[in-house]
Each structure stands twice: as C-alpha cells, then as structure tokens.
Amino acid sequence: TMVAASGPGGSVVRWALDPQGPTRLGAPLYGHTGTVRALTPLPLAKGQIGLASAGVDEKIRLWDPVAASPVGVLIGGHRDSVAALMPITPTRGQTLLASAGDDPAVVLWDTAALAPVARLSAANAVSFSALSNVAGPAGEVWLAAAANDGSVCIWNTENYQLTRRLSAANDAVLSLASLRLPSGYQLLAAASADGSVRLWDPVGETLLRTVPLPLDQTAHHLLAIASSLAIQTDTGVIVSEIDPALAAL
C-alpha cells in the first residue's frame, strides 16, 4: 500500500505502508511551482493506478507513482488555485477527473486526451472547496461540489446539468463525503466551518441531521467508511456510527 502527501517546495512525497511502519519511497515528485493542495488516485491505461496532484500553480499533474514518472499535465481549465480532485465514472463508463478550486468552475477532464470535456458552474458560486460523488434516483452518477456561499451544488454527469442545490450552511463547507447505508440508501455529509456536520438526503434535498462537534472543534475532512463517518478535527479523528434511525432508511 502506498500513500502520498504534499511535500515542501511543491513536491509530492510517497510512503509504503507495512507492519513495521511507513517507509519513504525514493525522491519526491517535482513539477509544481507552488504548494500542492489536492491529491487523488485515478486509473491509468492497462489497469495501472495513477496519481493526480494539483495546487496553487493552476495545473493538474498526472503521475505513475510506482515508476515515479510524470504521465501528463492538464492545463487551461482553471484560472486560480486548484483545491479538490476526484475521479468520477459516469454510467457511460469512461472515468473522468473532476477538479475544483478558487475560480467559478468545476472541470471534468479526459485524462487520456489531457483535455477538459465539461465546465460546470452555478449562479453566485465563485469558488469550490470540496467534491463528492452522489447516486441519482435512477442510478445515474451525480457530482457534488461545495460552493463558497455555503451551498452544495450537484450536477448530473450524464448531461452536465445542475440538478440540485443544497443550502448546507451559512459558513464555508470544508469537506464532503457520500455514505451508502446497508439498505442502499445514500446520504451526503457536509462538514462546515461553523463546527457542524450536516447529513443530507441529496435526492430529496432534505436535511436529515445537523451534528455539532464537541469542544467547538471544526471538521476539516470527512471520510466515509461503510456506514460510518471518520471526521478529522483540529485535535484528532472522530469515528462516528450513523444513527440507527438513519441507517434504517
């Protein structure tokens, strides 16, 4: 198992995880001219797993992390810092890379062609801070993005139309995560700078729960693990089980 993280000087550093502890893998990957703000794995040709990185230089770089070699660069999609990356596979089957940041567009990329295929936007949204996939009511793949005004915009990746907009908070949304319950029902969790995590039914546009964090902490990152939610806060990580009443939906 390999993990990657932003390093000094716009670099990306890699570690191998084993029972004895993490081991640094070779030299850092260099290419960015400023801080790296986002990383994500994504599929490459021939079944390989690649790595995408992005940051303040407005570029998205693609890597073969095992060979420690560059695969390509995605340019021209953003006019400001890129803060979020996520692979997404519409029901048409081709995996795309979604990117978002400090400008008014969420961009979908064909990483094989190194070209954008769609630019998604929403009224009054001038920047985006987080991305997540969401299942539509007919099984279609939706893409959710946290906008600067505290809302969560959701597009259908089949036709690139804005299909939902959740009024998540009066403060910035820092992270999103999609939770699939044992019943197959899907929730969307949104962590806000006001110190709460909101759980939504994204299809019905219904706010189901607002969960304040203890000790006035802020949730900086969310990770769905089965029907549990791991929440990175100012002081550590909280793992929370979903309320049985919600899990039964």
Side-chain angles (χ1 to χ4, degrees), residues 178-203:
S178 179
L179 297 93
R180 185 172 293 277
L181 302 179
S183 64
Y185 195 85
Q186 194 169 44
L187 306 180
L188 182 66
S192 299
D194 64 4
S196 68
V197 176
R198 289 170 169 82
L199 299 177
W200 288 86
D201 167 5
V203 175

Side-chain angles (χ1 to χ4, degrees), residues 41 43-44 50 63 73 85 99 104 139 176 188 223 231 235-236 246:
L44 296 177
W63 308 89
V73 184
L85 296 171
S99 62
L176 298 170
L188 182 66
L223 177 64
I231 307 167
T235 59
L246 290 180

Side-chain angles (χ1 to χ4, degrees), residues 35-135:
T35 302
V36 174
R37 299 182 64 192
L39 293 161
T40 190
L42 78 161
L44 296 177
K46 301 180 181 178
Q48 294 174 294
I49 299 299
L51 178 69
S53 60
V56 299
D57 62 3
E58 305 172 16
K59 297 181 178 65
I60 302 167
R61 295 190 175 271
L62 308 179
W63 308 89
D64 179 336
V66 175
S69 60
V71 175
V73 184
L74 308 178
I75 58 175
H78 292 281
R79 301 191 301 272
D80 210 326
S81 177
V82 181
L85 296 171
M86 191 190 70
I88 190 162
T89 305
T91 51
R92 294 189 296 272
Q94 179 190 9
T95 297
L96 304 174
L97 179 65
S99 62
D102 296 341
D103 62 3
V106 175
V107 183
L108 296 178
W109 301 86
D110 179 338
T111 56
L114 303 179
V117 298
R119 294 176 61 86
L120 312 178
S121 61
N124 302 316
V126 299
S127 64
F128 297 92
S129 56
L131 298 168
S132 181
N133 66 307
V134 179

